[in-house]
Amino acid sequence: MIDAKSLLDRFLGPGAAGAAGGIADKGRQALSGGGLGGLAGGAAAGGVIALLLGSKKARKFAGGALGYGGAAVLGALAHRAWQNWQQGQAPAGAPVAAPQEAAQVDPRFLPSAAPAADGKPFELALMRAMVGAARADGHVDAEERDRIIGQVERLGFDAEAKAYLFDLIEQPVSVGDIAAAAATPEQGAELYLAARLSIDPDQAAERAWLEALAHRLRLEPGLAAHLDRQAEAVPAG
């Protein structure tokens, strides 16, 4: 059986999963350094998703932040957006997730809290959302695909995890497939956030893709705006 948590961590950035002390220690180091921005950096060089995004013209993906912080950072960002939305704050001026929130995430916003709607680990759904968003421009050329596959080989995944990643990279990922994985409103918010971190909404086609995802997830417009706010606050890797 796939270790979905470990796979997500390594998908985001193997520097986090493989470094001495692991993700928890890296997260604590970053938190003591003064903010989620302190998590940005080196891990972006190795994550599978970073390779998928790397040639996408300055796309803002927090490879370092998510890689070093693991799923806890994603959960903290989604939870902060949710709180700001429920409190009726204006998205433009709403506070962004503070360092300590990555260490004390509401369990509802941890990917491991509950399975996806299909009964599979929710971590797999988050990876599918990121890949779908990264490919929203409709193009991953042969050279990019070969580099990604080569990185998967080098990272030493077991056969089952490797097969899953190869299928994920090769097969089309639709907005409907991504949205169907949300079993709860909280999961819907995290799926949108994961996709938003992997996309450049300044491009018309990608903005339309993201809007379609929000519609299929039945996100309230205000919540989507708060999730956008959190994503924009994360520095590029």
Side-chain angles (χ1 to χ4, degrees):
M1 179 179 293
I2 293 177
D3 182 343
K5 181 181 182 302
S6 175
L7 183 58
L8 175 61
D9 288 336
R10 298 180 69 190
F11 182 82
L12 293 171
I23 285 175
D25 286 347
K26 290 291 185 183
R28 281 192 290 272
Q29 291 168 19
L31 296 175
S32 64
L36 294 179
L39 289 164
V48 175
I49 187 62
L51 277 181
L52 191 58
L53 301 175
S55 62
K56 304 287 187 179
K57 291 188 178 180
R59 174 161 295 158
K60 185 181 178 183
F61 176 71
L66 292 179
Y68 282 142
V73 171
L74 183 61
L77 294 169
H79 185 215
R80 170 49 58 188
W82 187 277
Q83 288 181 314
N84 292 343
W85 168 63
Q86 288 193 322
Q87 292 166 5
Q89 300 192 45
V96 298
Q100 61 269 24
E101 293 178 59
Q104 300 176 348
V105 182
D106 184 316
R108 295 176 300 159
F109 290 89
L110 289 174
S112 59
D118 61 3
K120 296 179 181 177
F122 186 59
E123 291 91 341
L124 303 182
L126 289 171
M127 286 186 281
R128 190 163 61 243
M130 286 185 275
V131 170
R135 296 168 59 179
D137 61 3
H139 180 69
V140 175
D141 63 30
E143 182 179 352
E144 289 173 316
R145 187 182 300 108
D146 288 346
R147 286 192 300 110
I148 295 163
I149 289 173
Q151 178 71 338
V152 171
E153 293 282 5
R154 286 191 294 273
L155 287 173
F157 292 103
D158 63 36
E160 188 176 9
K162 192 183 300 182
Y164 175 80
L165 289 173
F166 287 160
D167 285 346
L168 190 61
I169 292 163
E170 295 288 350
Q171 295 178 0
V173 181
S174 73
V175 166
D177 290 340
I178 295 168
T184 66
E186 292 85 357
Q187 287 188 347
E190 282 194 83
L191 286 168
Y192 179 88
L193 179 63
R196 176 62 179 79
L197 285 163
S198 307
I199 209 166
D200 180 2
D202 293 334
Q203 303 296 320
E206 298 178 336
R207 184 170 61 252
W209 187 95
L210 197 62
E211 290 171 353
L213 178 62
H215 175 74
R216 293 295 291 267
L217 287 167
R218 299 180 181 178
L219 290 183
E220 292 287 341
L223 176 55
H226 277 290
L227 291 163
D228 289 338
R229 160 73 170 160
Q230 296 300 313
E232 290 162 3
V234 179

